[in-house]
Amino acid sequence: MRIEKCYFCSGPVYPGHGVMFVRNDCKSFRFCKSKCHRNFKKKRNPRKTRWTKAFRKASGKELTVDNSLEFEKRRNLPVKYNRGLWDKTVEAMKRVEEIKRKRQARFIMNRLKKGKQLDKEAAITEVKKNIHLIKAPHAGKAKQMEDKMVQKLQEDVDMADEEN
């Protein structure tokens, strides 16, 4: 049982599902759903269609260069069944999937950090630009007047001490 990749969206195509299109030059294309087949027939580019994996990778939204992605390559060498080898292979597949999931999560978090930083900078510049809307014109005047009065009283007290 082999799980194929959809030619258009790169999604999984399970046995007995999807559509297979064979061109006149004997090249076969597998599609997971009719939406992918329809878009292929309309000659749409998967890298420009926003919901495909090709678009997400081209626009930098998904991890593209990673060693764990090398394990998904198709291998056509038949191997004689060996129970120990089979167990090791299944364990390795689970471990690779776990590593890949962690790396993708880290990649997404790093990508989102940049957006949060840009939002924060935009908010700061907007506040600086429109500070007059937030801060009343006479908001600090009362404190300044109080400080001046305290300073004058202090000077008066100091002068009175010097006279005595």
Side-chain angles (χ1 to χ4, degrees):
M1 180 172 96
R2 174 171 282 156
I3 300 170
E4 304 280 342
K5 289 254 184 218
C6 175
Y7 181 80
F8 195 79
C9 73
S10 302
V13 181
Y14 294 99
H17 293 264
V19 178
M20 185 176 189
F21 172 69
V22 181
R23 209 165 46 190
N24 286 341
D25 62 353
C26 292
K27 177 145 175 52
S28 62
F29 302 93
R30 284 199 174 262
F31 303 103
C32 57
K33 47 191 173 265
S34 61
K35 179 181 182 183
C36 298
H37 189 215
R38 214 172 33 238
N39 281 299
F40 176 79
K41 285 194 287 186
K42 290 180 182 177
K43 298 186 178 178
R44 290 203 175 135
N45 189 348
R47 284 172 294 186
K48 293 183 181 176
T49 308
R50 295 184 67 87
W51 51 270
T52 62
K53 285 222 187 223
F55 175 85
R56 292 186 61 77
K57 286 184 179 182
S59 61
K61 293 184 180 294
E62 263 188 32
L63 197 60
T64 55
V65 181
D66 191 27
N67 294 336
S68 64
L69 299 174
E70 294 293 318
F71 291 109
E72 287 185 15
K73 282 187 177 174
R74 191 170 170 178
R75 290 165 183 82
N76 289 322
L77 294 173
V79 179
K80 189 175 179 185
Y81 176 76
N82 181 353
R83 184 181 225 162
L85 179 65
W86 184 261
D87 290 340
K88 285 182 184 178
T89 304
V90 170
E91 290 299 318
M93 286 168 60
K94 289 178 184 174
R95 181 77 176 125
V96 165
E97 196 62 36
E98 180 186 332
I99 290 169
K100 189 164 56 168
R101 199 174 314 114
K102 284 181 182 178
R103 287 182 181 174
Q104 286 174 345
R106 192 177 323 125
F107 177 78
I108 290 169
M109 291 308 294
N110 288 339
R111 187 169 56 87
L112 293 177
K113 279 182 189 175
K114 292 176 188 172
K116 287 180 184 176
Q117 185 68 25
L118 289 174
D119 289 345
K120 193 174 183 180
E121 289 174 7
I124 289 170
T125 54
E126 187 158 351
V127 166
K128 284 181 181 177
K129 191 187 304 181
N130 300 318
I131 191 72
H132 63 280
L133 298 173
I134 299 169
K135 189 174 173 185
H138 300 292
K141 297 282 185 182
K143 181 72 173 161
Q144 289 175 352
M145 292 294 286
E146 187 180 326
D147 290 341
K148 283 184 182 178
M149 293 292 282
V150 169
Q151 191 176 12
K152 286 210 184 242
L153 286 171
Q154 189 67 32
E155 289 174 5
D156 290 343
V157 170
D158 289 341
M159 285 189 151
D161 285 341
E162 288 178 9
E163 289 176 4
N164 290 337

